[in-house]
């Protein structure tokens, strides 16, 4: 997934870390388009689906961080939503599940909330919303069907 910062200078992307490194699988990177220099923001079992906030001050992504995975070394625990600065600071976990998945984050136009889908509770993919500080997590709507990949637009 390619997501361009509102200023147009950086791109978070997912890519595979070299096999001889400690962390294998997809990670979130920030690339300076002026010199093509990339730096990893995540060092987890797997991190993916990055998206910029409208102001470009945060990146939301999905990850299976080590502390989240209670099952085994293959990351079969839940996928959680995180936010981090483009400099790799102030990482915050916004969701918490035992085995369920939270995926496909999308920022509100003012950057204060994130919509995503989760199979928490019902086992069906439902649309959820959370504030960027992790508070106010709630189901946006209940459905008898799977709903996924929300995109918040103006």
């Amino acid at each position: 997934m390619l997501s361009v910062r509102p200023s147009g200078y950086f791109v978070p992307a997912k890519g595979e870390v070299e096999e001889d490194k400690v962390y294998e699988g997809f990670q979130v990177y920030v690339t300076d388009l002026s010199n093509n220099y990339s730096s990893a923001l995540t060092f987890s079992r797997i991190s993916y689906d990055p998206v910029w906030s409208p102001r470009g001050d945060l990146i939301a992504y999905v990850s299976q961080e080590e502390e989240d995975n209670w099952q085994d070394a293959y990351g079969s625990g839940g996928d959680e939503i995180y936010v981090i600065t483009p400099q790799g600071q102030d990482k915050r976990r916004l969701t918490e599940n035992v085995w369920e998945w939270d995926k496909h984050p999308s920022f509100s136009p003012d950057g204060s909330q994130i919509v995503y889908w989760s199979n928490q509770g019902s086992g069906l993919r439902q649309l959820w919303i959370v504030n960027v500080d992790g508070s106010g997590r709630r189901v946006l709507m209940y459905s008898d069907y799977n709903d996924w990949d929300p995109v918040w637009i103006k």
Side-chain angles (χ1 to χ4, degrees):
M1 174 181 192
L2 183 65
S3 180
V4 179
R5 184 178 188 179
S7 64
Y9 293 107
F10 298 94
V11 179
K14 61 184 181 182
E16 293 190 49
V17 177
E18 297 173 22
E19 288 184 25
D20 61 338
K21 303 294 183 190
V22 175
Y23 301 100
E24 296 179 13
F26 290 109
Q27 301 299 323
V28 177
Y29 291 83
V30 173
T31 302
D32 183 336
L33 295 177
S34 68
N35 61 17
N36 210 28
Y37 175 77
S38 293
S39 60
L41 295 182
T42 61
F43 302 93
S44 62
R45 289 192 176 103
I46 185 170
S47 295
Y48 59 97
D49 230 359
V51 62
W52 287 101
S53 67
R55 293 186 304 269
D57 60 334
L58 289 174
I59 296 169
Y61 62 97
V62 178
S63 185
Q64 291 182 1
E65 301 285 339
E66 285 194 39
E67 65 270 15
D68 298 338
N69 292 308
W70 55 272
Q71 288 186 349
D72 60 35
Y74 298 103
S76 56
D79 290 357
E80 308 293 347
I81 306 290
Y82 287 82
V83 292
I84 195 167
T85 67
Q87 296 78 29
Q89 300 171 338
D90 301 323
K91 180 176 77 171
R92 289 187 304 263
R93 180 173 157 180
L94 303 184
T95 64
E96 186 169 343
N97 299 299
V98 176
W99 64 269
E100 297 92 350
W101 305 330
D102 297 330
K103 297 187 183 256
H104 201 77
S106 178
F107 279 93
S108 64
D110 68 0
S112 67
Q113 297 179 314
I114 294 173
V115 66
Y116 60 96
W117 71 258
S118 178
N119 64 346
Q120 182 179 4
S122 70
L124 294 172
R125 297 174 180 182
Q126 303 291 301
L127 301 184
W128 287 65
I129 199 166
V130 65
N131 297 327
V132 294
D133 65 3
S135 67
R137 187 167 58 135
R138 63 197 180 279
V139 175
L140 186 61
M141 62 180 228
Y142 288 100
S143 173
D144 293 333
Y145 305 98
N146 284 312
D147 300 317
W148 62 84
D149 296 350
V151 176
W152 206 325
I153 59 174
K154 293 182 183 181

